Amino acid sequence: MAYETIKIEIADRRATLSFNRPNVANSMNLLMMQELADCLEFLKDNPEVQILVIKGEGNIFSAGGDIKMMVTSGEPKDFENIMSYITRMVLALYQLPMITIAEIRGAAAGLGFSLALGCDVIVAEENSKLAMNFIGIGLIPDGAGHFFMKERVGTPKAKHLIWAGDVMNPKEAHDLGLIDYHVEEGEAGSFVDQLVGKFLSSPILAMLETKEILHSEKLPELTSILKKEASGQVKMRKTEDHLEGIKAFIEKRAQQFKGK
């Protein structure tokens, strides 16, 4: 399958999906969201794949949603399409009948971090920066960020982390339980390869059955949260604080939020 904004390689029961917009920090525009949704739905129906590794081309995992897209997608239909693709890719990712591994280098922020948190195993290099930083532009997490943060750290801590929107290093994120492994710079690839080898030499069908049992019980909640994130994001997009957050980001200055 040929894509413009992502790459997919499949061999020996392993698939590797790479975000492929390194010149813009692998930020996700509408086309990338559509291609991710299509690719993950394709993988969902591919019984030959038992491991999926998700990573970014270049020196970054993903900076999240493309800010330029947020500025130009003012039409309600545009935003409806964005949230539709996000919902499709998250539901496909969560239901994949394979072990999913996020291999993070550089940074994983916003929607990029949400997708990383949606993986079964998260590996980050020591120089990485991790942030659920929607709050900085007056938005709420999407990509099921609420769901995945809550699953990892519980509701009270998830609220505090989302409200703060702080940039974390891998050790901080590991201590919180947000990621599973942090490795030296340049070692994520070899470490993930070792994990893949270990999983593929294990009784992986039993492991995948456990995943299916646990995830199927949570699927209704995930679906509900995705719907609430979509409607909540529509409301936030209309606020003065969101417009100020975007403007401040582009102008590289501190935000002046007013709670409006």
Side-chain angles (χ1 to χ4, degrees):
M1 298 177 69
Y3 299 103
E4 290 185 35
T5 65
I6 61 175
K7 293 180 180 178
I8 184 71
E9 300 171 331
I10 300 176
D12 302 323
R13 295 190 286 157
R14 168 181 172 163
T16 301
L17 191 164
S18 304
F19 306 130
N20 191 28
R21 299 183 75 215
N23 58 319
V24 288
N26 290 322
S27 60
M28 301 181 195
N29 61 5
L30 191 62
L31 178 59
M32 181 185 274
M33 292 176 182
Q34 180 180 6
E35 291 189 337
L36 282 169
D38 291 343
C39 182
L40 290 168
E41 287 172 351
F42 162 75
L43 289 171
K44 185 170 174 282
D45 296 323
N46 190 327
E48 297 178 5
V49 178
Q50 294 179 319
I51 300 277
L52 171 64
V53 176
I54 300 178
K55 64 179 186 175
E57 287 292 305
N59 297 316
I60 193 167
F61 183 78
S62 173
D66 191 326
I67 292 291
K68 289 182 179 179
M69 178 186 66
M70 295 183 197
V71 173
T72 58
S73 60
E75 294 297 321
K77 185 64 177 176
D78 292 339
F79 193 71
E80 184 180 313
N81 287 335
I82 291 170
M83 299 312 296
S84 173
Y85 291 139
I86 290 174
T87 295
R88 281 178 54 201
M89 64 187 183
V90 169
L91 287 176
L93 176 64
Y94 192 68
Q95 296 178 86
L96 285 176
M98 56 195 71
I99 294 173
T100 55
I101 303 173
E103 179 185 320
I104 299 175
R105 288 179 297 172
L111 179 58
F113 194 33
S114 291
L115 290 185
L117 290 172
C119 293
D120 301 314
V121 182
I122 306 172
V123 178
E125 291 189 353
E126 290 289 3
N127 66 329
S128 301
K129 297 179 180 179
L130 312 170
M132 189 62 73
N133 55 347
F134 294 86
I135 196 75
I137 53 173
L139 294 178
I140 59 172
D142 50 33
H146 293 91
F147 177 85
F148 294 131
M149 290 282 277
K150 181 175 72 68
E151 286 288 283
R152 283 266 174 177
V153 302
T155 297
K157 195 64 179 179
K159 286 187 295 187
H160 298 164
L161 292 170
I162 290 168
W163 290 342
D166 292 335
V167 177
M168 296 171 281
N169 63 46
K171 185 181 184 306
E172 291 170 330
H174 181 266
D175 289 346
L176 287 166
L178 283 172
I179 69 171
D180 302 295
Y181 303 98
H182 55 102
V183 298
E184 296 295 326
E185 184 175 351
E187 293 186 1
S190 59
F191 186 86
V192 167
D193 287 344
Q194 292 176 28
L195 280 179
V196 171
K198 180 179 179 181
F199 284 134
L200 290 178
S201 63
S202 301
I204 195 167
L205 292 179
M207 299 167 73
L208 294 176
E209 188 69 14
T210 288
K211 174 177 176 175
E212 196 282 329
I213 290 170
L214 294 175
H215 282 215
S216 64
E217 287 296 304
K218 289 287 186 175
L219 188 57
E221 180 185 354
L222 172 61
T223 303
S224 174
I225 284 179
L226 284 166
K227 290 179 180 177
K228 290 174 181 177
E229 285 182 347
S231 62
Q233 210 69 299
V234 169
K235 289 191 290 186
M236 296 305 102
R237 291 266 294 180
K238 297 175 182 176
T239 64
E240 293 181 21
D241 279 350
H242 170 60
L243 296 176
E244 164 61 14
I246 290 288
K247 190 175 180 181
F249 180 88
I250 293 172
E251 296 174 357
K252 295 181 171 57
R253 61 170 174 80
Q255 310 98 323
Q256 299 293 326
F257 294 129
K258 298 179 180 179
K260 297 181 179 179

